[in-house]
């Protein structure tokens, strides 16, 4: 399922990023909207300005017409002579209107500076203007749009007008120019934007590739190592893509370490089960063998010896099963029966027991602590820690070995050292000596009681110490082996002056 998803990511990436497309399109649309708004604002402002200018010119022309008529042609109601005066711009329109509003005559200044009289149809377009100087737009046939105004002249009125073609032309030209510039600008901005966006999003593409590669790896079985990581250049936390890269790498680190831990746990569990089965199979096979021999009634076998062997193997099996159960309980974190345990007494008793069991060794105890020093502990379990360490010092060393147990206390801890001058633990097993079923003599054929060794003694000692929030360490070389156990003191074990 995950692998499929990994392939899907790859496939979608191949088709090109829709995010990239969307970003470029949105950017272009935004730019287009801004350009359009700017263009329209410019064009309309310019057109208004030009129209105002035209209106001003039209008003001035009307005043000129009015002045000229008042001064010169008031007697002839149809004279357009005022249009022939110097300085009339090309296209200037003039008309005379009687008091009833009828356009009597009208003319326009042509390109060559002459006066052309307007037709009746053209004159009709000029009708109905109020002589109050207000400006109007009218379409005069064949002449196009005109801005017109009318002023009174002795009871009649005069019309003046100028063509809007120039304003229109300039507005159109401006609009075309704006469109061309906006088009070029937009295309350029789109191209630059596409390049920039593509460049900025490239790291995200590489991050996606890494994610796809990891998703394709089968994580549900076997050892998982060497998962792909986002390349370092794509993990700059100053960039958004870099932050995604960093986060993905952290995730992959986490996944890899969790899977490695799971793999180690499974491996330990498998080894543990195999070793435990093997340890139990040996005495079982032995018991089965003796049982068969006894049932067969073979004369060679001394029944008493057979029973002794069966009993020894049963004891060994019981011990092994008890050890395994204890380890399982400690692994579970079952609560211990905690009480105040006097350290000096504990150590002294453990050494006495060991001396009784190993008379061919030299046993020494050094107590460098106050008789009142106690630890909050499970008495039986702590006894077991010391018993295991002392049994090892007895079993794995030759006769005549000196074993010294020292107990001392610091401000917060009590320290118990079990030292012997035996041959020591070989370097190759020293680092794993606290692991379950670690033994120097790996021959699983030995089955004689505790001396046979199950390889669980130190594992149990370590687990019990950990359960008491303490720690255990070992150093060993030939003639100098020392196990050190640290345990936290109970509060009242502190010297009187420091008690809370
Ligand atoms: P075992 O049941 O074999 O004693 P342990 O876990 O107690 O299992 O010890 C693991 C191994 O460490 C032993 O088999 C032994 O080889 C080695 N060992 C432990 N203590 C000593 C020691 N004091 N001197 C030499 N070897 C030791």
């Amino acid at each position: 399922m995950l692998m499929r998803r990994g392939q899907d990511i790859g496939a979608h990436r191949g088709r090109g990023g829709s995010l990239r497309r969307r970003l470029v399109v949105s950017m272009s649309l935004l730019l287009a909207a801004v350009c359009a708004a700017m263009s329209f604002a410019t064009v309309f402002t310019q057109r208004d300005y030009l129209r105002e200018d035209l209106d001003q010119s039209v008003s001035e022309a009307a005043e000129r017409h009015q002045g000229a008529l008042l001064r010169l042609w008031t007697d002839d109601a149809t004279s357009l002579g005022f249009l022939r005066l110097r300085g009339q711009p090309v296209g200037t329109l003039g008309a005379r209107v009687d008091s009833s509003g009828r356009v009597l005559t009208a003319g326009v200044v042509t390109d060559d500076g002459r006066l052309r009289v307007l037709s009746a149809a053209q004159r009709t377009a000029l009708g109905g203007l109020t002589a109050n100087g207000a400006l109007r737009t009218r379409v005069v046939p064949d002449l196009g749009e005109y801005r017109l105004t009318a002023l009174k002249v002795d009871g009649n009125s005069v019309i003046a007008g100028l063509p809007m073609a120039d304003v229109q032309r300039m507005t159109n030209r401006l609009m075309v120019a704006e469109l061309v510039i906006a088009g070029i600008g937009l295309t350029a901005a789109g191209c630059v934007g596409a390049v920039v966006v593509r460049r900025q999003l490239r790291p995200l593409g590489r991050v996606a590739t890494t994610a796809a590669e990891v998703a394709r790896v089968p994580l549900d079985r076997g050892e998982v190592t060497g998962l792909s990581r986002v390349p370092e250049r794509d993990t700059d936390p100053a960039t958004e893509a870099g932050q995604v890269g960093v986060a993905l790498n952290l995730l992959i680190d986490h996944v890899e370490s969790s899977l490695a831990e799971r793999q180690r746990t499974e491996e330990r569990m498998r080894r543990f089960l195999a070793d435990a089965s093997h340890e139990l199979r040996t005495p079982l096979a032995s018991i089965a063998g003796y049982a068969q021999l006894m049932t067969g009634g073979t004369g060679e076998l001394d029944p008493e010896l057979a029973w002794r062997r069966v009993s020894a193997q049963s004891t060994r099996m019981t011990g092994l099963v008890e050890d395994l159960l204890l380890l399982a309980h400690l692994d579970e974190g079952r609560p211990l029966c905690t009480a105040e345990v006097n350290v000096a007494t504990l150590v002294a008793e453990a050494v006495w027991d060991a001396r009784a069991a190993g008379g061919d060794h030299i046993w020494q105890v050094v107590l460098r602590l106050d008789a009142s020093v106690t630890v909050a502990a499970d008495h039986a379990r702590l006894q077991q820690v010391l018993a295991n360490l002392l049994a090892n010092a007895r079993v794995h060393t030759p006769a005549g070995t000196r074993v010294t147990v020292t107990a001392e206390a610091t401000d917060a801890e009590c320290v118990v050292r079990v030292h012997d001058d035996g041959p020591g633990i070989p370097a190759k097993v020293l680092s794993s000596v606290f692991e379950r079923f670690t033994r120097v003599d790996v021959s699983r054929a030995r089955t004689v009681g505790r001396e046979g060794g199950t390889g669980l003694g130190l594992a149990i000692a370590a687990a019990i110490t950990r359960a008491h929030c303490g720690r255990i360490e070992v150093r060993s070389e030939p003639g100098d082996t020392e196990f050190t156990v640290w345990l936290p003191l109970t509060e009242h074990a502190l010297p009187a002056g420091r008690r809370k």
Side-chain angles (χ1 to χ4, degrees), residues 57 59-69 71 85 87-89 92:
S57 300
S59 298
E60 284 170 11
E63 281 163 17
R64 270 200 315 274
H65 293 354
Q66 185 187 41
L69 284 174
R71 275 183 281 117
L85 289 175
Q88 295 287 16
T92 304

Side-chain angles (χ1 to χ4, degrees), residues 265-423:
T265 309
E266 280 175 5
E267 184 54 38
R268 266 203 305 269
M269 185 57 74
R270 256 199 305 274
R271 224 178 44 226
F272 178 73
L273 283 175
D275 286 342
S277 320
H278 202 104
E279 288 298 328
L280 286 170
R281 200 177 57 183
T282 309
L284 272 176
S286 181
I287 290 171
Y290 282 118
Q292 224 167 21
L293 286 173
M294 279 153 59
T295 330
T298 168
E300 291 167 27
L301 186 70
D302 174 4
E304 203 186 315
L305 173 75
W307 276 117
R308 264 213 313 278
R309 294 309 307 145
V310 168
S311 159
Q313 296 297 8
S314 309
T315 311
R316 177 175 165 75
M317 270 201 316
T318 310
L320 186 64
V321 170
E322 274 170 4
D323 282 356
L324 288 173
L325 259 178
L326 173 61
L327 276 172
H329 290 169
L330 290 167
D331 284 350
E332 257 176 47
R334 285 212 187 168
L336 300 159
C337 317
T338 312
E340 275 178 25
V341 177
N342 186 292
V343 180
T345 312
L346 180 87
V347 170
E349 283 174 0
V351 178
W352 288 336
D353 293 349
R355 185 177 287 138
D360 50 359
H361 282 61
I362 303 161
W363 300 93
Q364 237 178 350
V365 59
V366 181
L367 298 175
R368 291 197 196 115
L369 39 68
D370 207 78
S372 64
V373 171
T374 60
V375 288
D378 184 322
H379 186 262
R381 297 283 166 245
L382 268 198
Q383 250 178 348
Q384 193 169 357
V385 172
L386 287 181
N388 286 3
L389 294 179
L390 293 173
N392 279 347
R394 175 168 54 82
V395 172
H396 300 297
T397 58
T401 300
R402 179 182 296 275
V403 184
T404 311
V405 184
T406 313
E408 55 195 359
T410 65
D411 281 356
E413 291 173 317
C414 95
V415 190
V416 179
R417 297 177 213 279
V418 178
H419 179 273
D420 70 69
D421 57 3

